Short mmCIF file of all heavy atoms in Angstrom, two decimals:
data_model
loop_
_atom_site.label_atom_id
_atom_site.label_comp_id
_atom_site.label_asym_id
_atom_site.label_seq_id
_atom_site.Cartn_x
_atom_site.Cartn_y
_atom_site.Cartn_z
N LEU W 163 94.96 44.79 105.50
CA LEU W 163 94.26 44.69 104.23
C LEU W 163 95.00 43.82 103.22
O LEU W 163 94.40 42.99 102.55
CB LEU W 163 94.01 46.08 103.65
CG LEU W 163 92.98 46.92 104.39
CD1 LEU W 163 92.91 48.31 103.79
CD2 LEU W 163 91.63 46.25 104.37
N ILE W 164 96.30 44.00 103.12
CA ILE W 164 97.09 43.17 102.19
C ILE W 164 97.04 41.71 102.62
O ILE W 164 96.90 40.81 101.79
CB ILE W 164 98.54 43.68 102.10
CG1 ILE W 164 98.57 45.06 101.43
CG2 ILE W 164 99.42 42.70 101.33
CD1 ILE W 164 99.92 45.74 101.48
N GLY W 165 97.12 41.46 103.92
CA GLY W 165 97.03 40.09 104.43
C GLY W 165 95.69 39.45 104.13
O GLY W 165 95.62 38.29 103.71
N LEU W 166 94.61 40.20 104.33
CA LEU W 166 93.28 39.67 104.05
C LEU W 166 93.07 39.40 102.56
O LEU W 166 92.51 38.37 102.18
CB LEU W 166 92.20 40.64 104.55
CG LEU W 166 92.01 40.69 106.06
CD1 LEU W 166 91.06 41.81 106.44
CD2 LEU W 166 91.51 39.36 106.58
N ILE W 167 93.52 40.32 101.73
CA ILE W 167 93.39 40.12 100.28
C ILE W 167 94.18 38.90 99.83
O ILE W 167 93.68 38.08 99.05
CB ILE W 167 93.82 41.38 99.51
CG1 ILE W 167 92.82 42.50 99.75
CG2 ILE W 167 93.98 41.10 98.02
CD1 ILE W 167 93.27 43.86 99.27
N ALA W 168 95.40 38.76 100.32
CA ALA W 168 96.23 37.60 99.95
C ALA W 168 95.57 36.30 100.42
O ALA W 168 95.52 35.32 99.67
CB ALA W 168 97.62 37.73 100.55
N LEU W 169 95.05 36.30 101.63
CA LEU W 169 94.42 35.09 102.16
C LEU W 169 93.15 34.74 101.39
O LEU W 169 92.94 33.58 101.02
CB LEU W 169 94.10 35.28 103.65
CG LEU W 169 93.52 34.08 104.38
CD1 LEU W 169 94.51 32.91 104.35
CD2 LEU W 169 93.18 34.45 105.80
N ILE W 170 92.31 35.71 101.12
CA ILE W 170 91.05 35.45 100.41
C ILE W 170 91.31 34.97 98.98
O ILE W 170 90.70 34.01 98.52
CB ILE W 170 90.16 36.70 100.43
CG1 ILE W 170 89.65 36.94 101.85
CG2 ILE W 170 88.99 36.56 99.46
CD1 ILE W 170 88.98 38.28 102.06
N THR W 171 92.23 35.62 98.28
CA THR W 171 92.52 35.18 96.91
C THR W 171 93.16 33.80 96.90
O THR W 171 92.91 33.01 96.00
CB THR W 171 93.41 36.19 96.16
OG1 THR W 171 94.64 36.36 96.87
CG2 THR W 171 92.72 37.52 95.98
N GLY W 172 93.97 33.51 97.90
CA GLY W 172 94.57 32.18 97.99
C GLY W 172 93.55 31.09 98.27
O GLY W 172 93.62 30.01 97.72
N LEU W 173 92.60 31.40 99.12
CA LEU W 173 91.57 30.41 99.46
C LEU W 173 90.59 30.19 98.32
O LEU W 173 90.13 29.06 98.10
CB LEU W 173 90.83 30.83 100.73
CG LEU W 173 91.63 30.79 102.02
CD1 LEU W 173 90.82 31.38 103.17
CD2 LEU W 173 92.06 29.37 102.35
N THR W 174 90.24 31.24 97.61
CA THR W 174 89.27 31.11 96.51
C THR W 174 89.91 30.65 95.20
O THR W 174 89.23 30.08 94.35
CB THR W 174 88.53 32.43 96.26
OG1 THR W 174 89.47 33.43 95.88
CG2 THR W 174 87.75 32.86 97.48
N GLY W 175 91.20 30.94 95.02
CA GLY W 175 91.87 30.58 93.77
C GLY W 175 91.59 31.55 92.65
O GLY W 175 91.88 31.26 91.49
N PHE W 176 91.02 32.70 92.97
CA PHE W 176 90.69 33.69 91.95
C PHE W 176 91.33 35.03 92.30
O PHE W 176 91.19 35.52 93.41
CB PHE W 176 89.17 33.87 91.85
CG PHE W 176 88.76 34.94 90.88
CD1 PHE W 176 88.78 34.69 89.53
CD2 PHE W 176 88.37 36.19 91.32
CE1 PHE W 176 88.41 35.67 88.62
CE2 PHE W 176 88.00 37.17 90.43
CZ PHE W 176 88.02 36.92 89.08
N CYS W 177 92.01 35.62 91.32
CA CYS W 177 92.61 36.94 91.48
C CYS W 177 92.05 37.86 90.40
O CYS W 177 92.20 37.59 89.21
CB CYS W 177 94.12 36.85 91.37
SG CYS W 177 94.95 38.46 91.49
N ALA W 178 91.40 38.94 90.82
CA ALA W 178 90.79 39.87 89.88
C ALA W 178 91.85 40.56 89.01
O ALA W 178 91.59 40.82 87.83
CB ALA W 178 89.97 40.91 90.63
N ILE W 179 93.00 40.84 89.55
CA ILE W 179 94.06 41.48 88.76
C ILE W 179 94.55 40.54 87.67
O ILE W 179 94.79 40.97 86.54
CB ILE W 179 95.21 41.95 89.67
CG1 ILE W 179 94.70 43.05 90.62
CG2 ILE W 179 96.39 42.45 88.86
CD1 ILE W 179 95.69 43.50 91.65
N TYR W 180 94.70 39.26 88.00
CA TYR W 180 95.07 38.28 86.98
C TYR W 180 94.02 38.26 85.87
O TYR W 180 94.33 38.18 84.69
CB TYR W 180 95.16 36.88 87.58
CG TYR W 180 96.46 36.53 88.27
CD1 TYR W 180 97.43 37.49 88.54
CD2 TYR W 180 96.73 35.23 88.65
CE1 TYR W 180 98.60 37.16 89.17
CE2 TYR W 180 97.90 34.88 89.29
CZ TYR W 180 98.84 35.86 89.55
OH TYR W 180 100.01 35.52 90.17
N LYS W 181 92.74 38.32 86.26
CA LYS W 181 91.65 38.30 85.28
C LYS W 181 91.74 39.51 84.35
O LYS W 181 91.60 39.37 83.13
CB LYS W 181 90.31 38.29 86.02
CG LYS W 181 89.11 38.31 85.14
CD LYS W 181 88.86 36.95 84.57
CE LYS W 181 87.49 36.93 83.90
NZ LYS W 181 87.22 35.65 83.30
N LEU W 182 91.98 40.69 84.91
CA LEU W 182 92.09 41.91 84.10
C LEU W 182 93.27 41.84 83.13
O LEU W 182 93.18 42.34 82.01
CB LEU W 182 92.24 43.13 85.00
CG LEU W 182 91.01 43.56 85.77
CD1 LEU W 182 91.36 44.66 86.75
CD2 LEU W 182 89.91 44.00 84.83
N LEU W 183 94.37 41.23 83.58
CA LEU W 183 95.57 41.15 82.74
C LEU W 183 95.60 39.91 81.86
O LEU W 183 96.50 39.76 81.04
CB LEU W 183 96.82 41.16 83.63
CG LEU W 183 97.03 42.44 84.46
CD1 LEU W 183 98.24 42.28 85.37
CD2 LEU W 183 97.20 43.65 83.54
N GLY W 184 94.64 39.01 82.02
CA GLY W 184 94.58 37.81 81.20
C GLY W 184 95.63 36.77 81.59
O GLY W 184 96.05 35.97 80.77
N ILE W 185 96.02 36.77 82.85
CA ILE W 185 97.04 35.85 83.36
C ILE W 185 96.37 34.69 84.07
O ILE W 185 95.35 34.86 84.74
CB ILE W 185 97.99 36.58 84.34
CG1 ILE W 185 98.71 37.72 83.64
CG2 ILE W 185 98.97 35.61 84.96
CD1 ILE W 185 99.49 38.61 84.58
N SER W 186 96.94 33.51 83.94
CA SER W 186 96.47 32.35 84.69
C SER W 186 97.67 31.47 85.01
O SER W 186 98.45 31.11 84.13
CB SER W 186 95.45 31.55 83.89
OG SER W 186 95.06 30.41 84.62
N THR W 187 97.85 31.15 86.29
CA THR W 187 98.92 30.23 86.70
C THR W 187 98.36 28.84 86.98
O THR W 187 99.08 27.96 87.41
CB THR W 187 99.64 30.76 87.96
OG1 THR W 187 98.71 30.91 89.02
CG2 THR W 187 100.31 32.09 87.68
#
């Protein structure tokens, strides 16, 4: 699950946790 989440967020360029915290790299 951690591997899939990391891969999907890396491929899409969107992280929901970053969005909730107002972070953008």
